[in-house]
Amino acid sequence: MVPGVSARDQYLHYNVAEDADTTYVITLPYGTKELPTIEYAQGDQYQTIEVVEEGLNAAFIVVTAENGARRTYNVKFEIEKSSNSLLNAIYSNGTILTAFDPEVFDYEIELPYGTNVAPVFTYDLSESGQMVKYQPALSVADTAMFEVTAENGINKSLYRVSFKIVKSDDLDGLENFLARLEKISAKFDISFVLSLSIDADVAPDYVKNLA
């Protein structure tokens, strides 16, 4: 016994336990902006309890027993990461793809006759946490690809853009072809009876060889 100190006070002085910590991790739905309400039930009426919140990161519940022993409950919060792997838009030379839909993944672009260089593509993310691996088309015979990975690193989407070259509608070319036939006819003193459709692209090889 210590003179002048009650037995109860001596017990409390020599039996105060060191702080003990217990940690819980709670995952909150994606987009959560506020912490849930933290409630607790006292172990007994002699406890004192203090709750300290730290934004969306954590909350600490400090429980002090009658004898001064303390336990801190660490409640940590994690915001669920997004599973969205869809793009908001894809642009070809600055113009959004016709009829673009985030849930449609394959597109074919018509390019003017004679085009031999693929367009330059850009895109808009749906969410800042997304990652995009872009593989450009090296030629009009190639396919541009966009592999989108969601913030959670699991969900992925693959967009593909291919190209179709519009056929020539050059009537001048057809007139030149007919003029060549006239020269061939005059050279060999023969007559040709030729039936052509307006959309014919090339002459027969044997005719070309005669020119």
Side-chain angles (χ1 to χ4, degrees):
M1 294 289 292
V2 178
V5 179
S6 69
R8 179 178 181 278
D9 288 341
Q10 288 186 54
Y11 172 83
L12 293 177
H13 177 78
Y14 290 107
N15 291 278
V16 172
E18 295 182 357
D19 287 0
D21 291 342
T22 301
T23 300
Y24 300 92
V25 178
I26 298 176
T27 300
L28 301 175
Y30 175 76
T32 298
K33 302 298 183 183
E34 297 181 0
L35 284 178
T37 301
I38 297 175
E39 301 177 342
Y40 55 83
Q42 287 181 265
D44 63 49
Q45 61 181 329
Y46 304 107
Q47 293 175 340
T48 58
I49 299 175
E50 179 184 10
V51 178
V52 179
E53 296 183 358
E54 293 191 355
L56 286 176
N57 297 319
F60 303 96
I61 304 173
V62 182
V63 183
T64 304
E66 184 185 15
N67 67 356
R70 289 187 302 175
R71 176 180 293 274
T72 301
Y73 294 88
N74 299 324
V75 183
K76 295 183 178 181
F77 300 98
E78 294 180 351
I79 305 298
E80 183 180 33
K81 293 184 177 181
S82 173
S83 61
N84 182 1
S85 61
L86 302 178
L87 289 178
N88 195 49
I90 295 177
Y91 302 89
S92 171
N93 290 338
T95 302
I96 192 168
L97 296 187
T98 302
F100 176 81
D101 184 326
E103 295 186 358
V104 174
F105 303 102
D106 290 284
Y107 296 87
E108 183 179 69
I109 296 178
E110 287 192 346
L111 299 177
Y113 177 78
T115 301
N116 52 26
V117 177
V120 175
F121 289 99
T122 53
Y123 53 84
D124 288 340
L125 300 176
S126 292
E127 297 172 359
S128 60
Q130 294 174 328
M131 297 292 292
V132 178
K133 182 179 179 182
Y134 169 50
Q135 179 178 313
L138 301 180
S139 71
V140 293
D142 203 358
T143 300
M145 292 187 286
F146 308 77
E147 183 181 69
V148 187
T149 302
E151 183 185 26
N152 63 11
I154 300 172
N155 297 77
K156 295 185 178 184
S157 296
L158 179 63
Y159 293 87
R160 294 176 288 263
V161 184
S162 58
F163 311 101
K164 177 182 179 181
I165 304 299
V166 176
K167 290 185 177 181
S168 173
D169 58 357
D170 184 5
L171 295 180
D172 291 336
L174 179 59
E175 291 175 359
N176 291 336
F177 172 58
L178 294 175
R180 289 174 60 196
L181 289 180
E182 286 186 34
K183 291 181 181 179
I184 295 171
S185 176
K187 181 177 180 181
F188 290 96
D189 195 23
I190 59 176
S191 297
F192 288 89
V193 177
L194 181 64
S195 177
L196 295 172
S197 62
I198 292 300
D199 62 350
D201 288 331
V202 295
D205 289 339
Y206 69 85
V207 175
K208 289 182 179 180
N209 293 334
L210 293 175

